[in-house]
Amino acid sequence: MSDFDQYLAHFPVGLKVNVGIPVPGGDTFHDWAIIHSIDEDLISLQLSRDTLPAGVKLLVGTILDIRTGNEVSGYSCRAIIVTEGFKREVLLRLIGEIVSSELREFYRIDAFLPIKYFISSEQSEVKLKAAWKEKREARLAAEMERRQQAKKPWERLRKAPQNEELPSEELGDEGSWEDSGEGLEQPDPGEDDSRDHSWDDVIPLAANISGGGVRMLLHHKFEENTLVPLEIYLPSEPEPQIIDAVCIVAFANENYAASKQFNRTSYNTGLKFKFVEERDRDAIVSYISNVQLKRIRQMREHYLFRSGPEAPQPDVPPEQRLKLLIKTILTVSVVIIALISMAVYFKNYAENRPKNEIELIFEKGFGEYLKKIGRTPSQGQ
């Protein structure tokens, strides 16, 4: 089955889909739409609203996320806006493969991650979802503020054009910059002030994480179907990312071996994501993929170079070097003398070796034959 046939089978005409539209700040606006027509990889959608909220724009070239179904049996595909018509009818071109939501459930990895979980007495989904959205918006605002603070005043002065006139408060009394060493801290090129240091003291936990949830060893007993707010520090590249989510407890089984080891009751707790942004979920899957690729690369290098890198040679004292040199010279001399002696011995043996019985009988018979024909052995030689 070709890609076009798969698009037609998964996105038929009249299907109701969820459209994820990226907005500034890393957020995603979700709206539902109806498929009007599909021709190979071109698909026409009718959005549910005629007017989009402020800040949400459908520009040609924007990549959207088309989803249908639920988190258990749903699937999604990315699409790029080709043109926008009247009454919010958008023409898209499907790109990439159709990804099942089930794949993200089983695509998991064991890792040590800084994780914060909160024991909340509030179990209302509506209130926890509102608190989760508020916390996420506050985190995004704080992240934007940290990035703005990362731009130091001296960076603006250093990058200012030569013909730009600086404000009077940034000039000295005589119209030149005075470096008094006061008021501003000197920049440290190796220091990143925009990094969030609140996670420096959080001890990483051994967790089995996937796009659908996380399993951890906890000392607190959670009841099943309990809602648990969660924060995950994801050391992704090029910069770390903090995942805010609300999870529901899938299971909590006592781990007797861990309880005996830590002298404290421990539980294998499985948490399934209840409220989490799809961008954060995709970031988790991307992190898992990168870690897996690194592990495969390291394993491949291990099997290709099993001997490992050569260890550096230790420094040898001069006295030991002299002893080693003398020992080497003596060994070589003994070997040379032995070879010369063996060569002389075999040469003398080849020239003056004793005659065997056959050679003696042959010489005696040959001498008698020469006498019969009237020749002496001396004449025949």
Side-chain angles (χ1 to χ4, degrees):
M1 181 180 293
S2 64
D3 293 340
F4 299 150
D5 295 335
Q6 291 185 2
Y7 292 153
L8 182 60
H10 289 84
F11 299 102
V13 176
L15 180 66
K16 182 178 179 180
V17 296
N18 182 280
V19 181
I21 306 173
V23 297
D27 204 351
T28 303
F29 173 76
H30 294 277
D31 190 16
W32 63 270
I34 301 295
I35 299 179
H36 271 187
S37 63
I38 179 170
D39 183 13
E40 293 185 347
D41 59 346
L42 291 176
I43 183 172
S44 177
L45 300 180
Q46 173 66 52
L47 297 179
S48 63
R49 59 183 72 194
D50 295 333
T51 303
L52 295 175
V56 181
K57 298 181 180 180
L58 293 175
L59 303 177
V60 176
T62 303
I63 296 179
L64 309 181
D65 188 34
I66 310 298
R67 296 178 183 270
T68 184
N70 50 41
E71 291 296 332
V72 178
S73 60
Y75 47 88
S76 64
C77 184
R78 295 186 180 275
I80 185 172
I81 298 179
V82 178
T83 181
E84 180 185 356
F86 297 99
K87 296 182 179 180
R88 293 303 176 185
E89 184 174 351
V90 185
L91 183 62
L92 308 174
R93 183 180 297 276
L94 297 174
I95 56 177
E97 300 179 352
I98 297 176
V99 181
S100 173
S101 299
E102 297 179 357
L103 296 178
R104 299 183 298 180
E105 299 288 339
F106 298 99
Y107 195 39
R108 58 180 64 247
I109 195 174
D110 292 324
F112 284 89
L113 296 174
I115 299 177
K116 298 179 183 178
Y117 65 92
F118 304 91
I119 304 174
S120 176
S121 58
E122 180 61 59
Q123 292 298 305
S124 172
E125 292 188 6
V126 177
K127 293 182 179 180
L128 286 178
K129 185 176 182 179
W132 164 68
K133 286 186 176 181
E134 183 179 355
K135 179 188 290 186
R136 190 172 184 278
E137 292 175 357
R139 189 182 302 281
L140 291 176
E143 182 67 22
M144 292 295 295
E145 184 179 357
R146 279 195 296 269
R147 291 181 180 179
Q148 292 178 359
Q149 290 179 355
K151 187 176 181 180
K152 305 297 183 180
W154 50 79
E155 290 290 335
R156 183 170 61 87
L157 294 175
R158 182 174 60 85
K159 296 180 181 179
Q162 297 293 335
N163 57 355
E164 182 180 355
E165 185 176 356
L166 298 177
S168 58
E169 62 268 18
E170 296 179 355
L171 298 176
D173 296 337
E174 299 179 359
S176 60
W177 176 258
E178 293 182 355
D179 187 7
S180 61
E182 298 179 358
L184 294 176
E185 296 180 357
Q186 297 300 324
D188 186 1
E191 183 180 359
D192 185 9
D193 295 333
S194 63
R195 190 171 67 88
D196 186 3
H197 297 278
S198 62
W199 289 82
D200 293 346
D201 298 330
V202 179
I203 301 176
L205 298 177
N208 184 276
I209 188 171
S210 71
V214 60
R215 186 187 66 190
M216 300 179 294
L217 183 66
L218 304 179
H219 299 301
H220 180 79
K221 171 66 173 178
F222 282 104
E223 299 295 334
E224 292 187 10
N225 299 323
T226 302
L227 296 177
V228 181
L230 196 71
E231 296 180 8
I232 304 175
Y233 182 87
L234 202 64
S236 55
E237 296 179 356
E239 59 181 8
Q241 185 174 351
I242 299 176
I243 307 298
D244 293 297
V246 176
C247 303
I248 185 171
V249 178
F251 61 86
N253 303 323
E254 184 175 355
N255 189 321
Y256 296 98
S259 301
K260 184 177 180 181
Q261 179 182 358
F262 297 109
N263 294 325
R264 188 177 179 184
T265 307
S266 304
Y267 303 92
N268 289 325
T269 307
L271 303 175
K272 183 178 180 180
F273 292 139
K274 181 69 174 179
F275 303 122
V276 65
E277 284 292 336
E278 292 301 325
R279 285 179 176 266
D280 294 341
R281 194 192 300 269
D282 293 338
I284 294 175
V285 176
S286 177
Y287 169 75
I288 295 173
S289 176
N290 293 333
V291 173
Q292 288 282 24
L293 290 176
K294 289 181 180 179
R295 292 183 179 179
I296 293 174
R297 192 180 301 113
Q298 292 175 356
M299 185 178 299
R300 183 180 180 184
E301 293 177 356
H302 173 73
Y303 281 101
L304 288 178
F305 308 100
R306 293 188 178 183
S307 59
E310 295 183 359
Q313 298 294 335
D315 295 335
V316 181
E319 297 81 2
Q320 190 172 355
R321 289 183 181 179
L322 181 59
K323 292 181 180 180
L324 183 61
L325 180 61
I326 295 175
K327 185 183 296 185
T328 304
I329 293 175
L330 291 177
T331 303
V332 173
S333 302
V334 171
V335 172
I336 293 175
I337 294 174
L339 292 176
I340 294 175
S341 301
M342 292 177 63
V344 173
Y345 170 77
F346 284 112
K347 182 180 179 182
N348 294 333
Y349 179 81
E351 294 177 353
N352 304 317
R353 62 183 179 85
K355 297 180 180 180
N356 55 32
E357 186 175 357
I358 296 176
E359 290 177 337
L360 293 175
I361 294 174
F362 177 78
E363 288 183 357
K364 183 179 179 182
F366 185 71
E368 292 178 354
Y369 171 75
L370 292 177
K371 289 179 180 180
K372 288 181 180 181
I373 62 176
R375 296 177 59 184
T376 60
S378 59
Q379 293 177 354
Q381 294 179 353

